[in-house]
Amino acid sequence: MYTGEIISLIVAVSWTVTAVCFEYAGKRIGALTLNIVRLMMSIIMLAIVLKLTTGHVVPWDAGQEAWKWLVLSGLVGDVFGDFCLFNSYLLIGSRFGQLTLAPPTATIAGYLFLGEKMGMYAFVGMLVCIVGIGLSIVGKSVTNNNRLGIQLPLKGVLYGIRAGVGQGLGLVLSKIGMNCYLDYNPPVSSLERFMLPFEATQIRAFAGVAGFFIILLLRGEVRKLLTALSDRPAMATSTVGTFFGPFAGVSLSLMAVQYTQAGVASTLMALTPIIILLPSKLIFHEKVTFRQILGAVLSVAGVALFFV
């Protein structure tokens, strides 16, 4: 009954792993280079899985409309959204980079493009979750010209906000693309339907690689990509992050929106800042405050409302 909600929670856990890995790798090889590396890795992983399950390595049979919407989703979600997200990781860390504009963006876009409407409990749950996540991020106010009241660089916060908008809109565009896929080429088996989000993720990844490579060429930083490939620690953590992020995480996020509204799925997937509190404490030795614990409790209460 709550398949989409449960998958969304799994995605939040998956993205916690990928956020920690990509924060480390991004600091070694840079956000732009990392984005190309992770998407290329995901295309290879997805090609292997698709070959074993569907018999083809690329979903050429998706149809022109599906490709159009999924490519657009990749440009909005992967190129714009993730580029901003990874830059926010470098400036304010993976825990703070997961800001909260993705859920309302997905909710509004889902209503405008898909006619999705959230029930009262789901809407209240979204608001409670956002407040909880906000409490876990906000710190004591400081008076400084280039810092907000959350003790973070303004540039990093703006990157996080843009990332949320890009990811929320990209999620809805992906759902439109998958709907077009189903209309053009309906799956004849449960396995084919199960693999649809993985095929959609690969199409998004192709668009992402193309978009990021164009940016790399315009910046004249192709040599950085070649240098990054010889950085073994960065490649190792990028591989782990890619498996839990662009491969499994993104695919499961697209699977989640097949079973529930985009706003609900996006809200539950936005719980990464709550889940990441423990690894941030253990790995990066960041202090966990009472305010953050209170935010975590509120977020859990908000999640509970989605299952009422």
Side-chain angles (χ1 to χ4, degrees):
M1 184 178 179
Y2 296 108
T3 304
E5 287 81 357
I6 294 171
I7 294 174
S8 299
L9 291 174
I10 295 173
V11 172
V13 176
S14 179
W15 281 349
T16 299
V17 178
T18 198
V20 173
C21 291
F22 285 160
E23 179 180 352
Y24 172 81
K27 289 178 179 178
R28 293 184 66 92
I29 63 177
L32 180 57
T33 304
L34 175 59
N35 272 294
I36 295 178
V37 168
R38 72 182 181 90
L39 289 173
M40 290 175 63
M41 286 181 174
S42 71
I43 288 173
I44 295 172
M45 292 180 185
L46 288 163
I48 293 172
V49 171
L50 291 177
K51 181 62 177 178
L52 294 174
T53 55
T54 66
H56 56 247
V57 294
V58 177
W60 299 117
D61 60 346
Q64 185 177 348
E65 279 296 300
W67 271 85
K68 180 183 72 175
W69 286 105
L70 290 170
V71 165
L72 181 60
S73 171
L75 294 175
V76 173
D78 287 336
V79 179
F80 177 76
D82 285 354
F83 178 72
C84 292
L85 180 65
F86 281 44
N87 276 284
S88 73
Y89 284 173
L90 301 182
L91 293 169
I92 58 180
S94 55
R95 177 159 62 91
F96 295 106
Q98 299 281 348
L99 299 178
T100 57
L101 280 188
T105 300
T107 301
I108 295 170
Y111 174 76
L112 293 176
F113 292 106
L114 298 168
E116 295 181 344
K117 297 180 181 179
M118 295 178 67
M120 179 58 68
Y121 283 116
F123 183 75
V124 173
M126 182 183 76
L127 294 179
V128 173
C129 281
I130 290 175
V131 170
I133 296 169
L135 277 176
S136 73
I137 292 174
V138 174
K140 295 180 180 179
S141 297
V142 292
T143 55
N144 202 321
N145 291 332
N146 65 340
R147 293 181 182 270
L148 298 180
I150 52 177
Q151 298 181 318
L152 299 173
L154 176 59
K155 186 177 181 180
V157 173
L158 292 176
Y159 268 127
I161 291 173
R162 293 169 191 152
V165 172
Q167 291 176 330
L169 183 56
L171 189 65
V172 173
L173 294 173
S174 291
K175 186 168 185 177
I176 297 173
M178 288 190 294
N179 289 341
C180 292
Y181 192 131
L182 291 172
D183 292 338
Y184 180 80
N185 189 23
V188 296
S189 68
S190 56
L191 177 61
E192 287 181 347
R193 186 176 184 89
F194 179 82
M195 295 307 299
L196 173 58
F198 293 87
E199 294 175 311
T201 299
Q202 192 188 50
I203 295 174
R204 281 177 47 125
F206 280 124
V209 169
F212 281 123
F213 195 74
I214 290 173
I215 296 174
L216 197 72
L217 287 174
L218 293 176
R219 290 188 173 187
E221 297 179 357
V222 177
R223 182 168 295 183
K224 286 187 178 181
L225 176 60
L226 300 177
T227 303
L229 296 176
S230 63
D231 189 324
R232 291 186 178 181
M235 290 301 100
T237 52
S238 295
T239 302
V240 175
T242 297
F243 179 84
F244 286 99
F247 172 68
V250 175
S251 299
L252 289 175
S253 73
L254 301 190
M255 189 180 295
V257 297
Q258 288 185 299
Y259 295 98
T260 189
Q261 295 100 330
V264 172
S266 184
T267 300
L268 295 174
M269 289 185 281
L271 289 172
T272 299
I274 301 300
I275 302 171
I276 209 172
L277 285 175
L278 182 59
S280 291
K281 171 70 174 177
L282 297 177
I283 298 174
F284 299 113
H285 307 292
E286 295 181 4
K287 182 180 179 181
V288 178
T289 66
F290 173 76
R291 186 192 299 267
Q292 292 163 351
I293 295 174
L294 178 61
V297 172
L298 269 179
S299 296
V300 172
V303 169
L305 289 174
F306 284 101
F307 296 91
V308 173

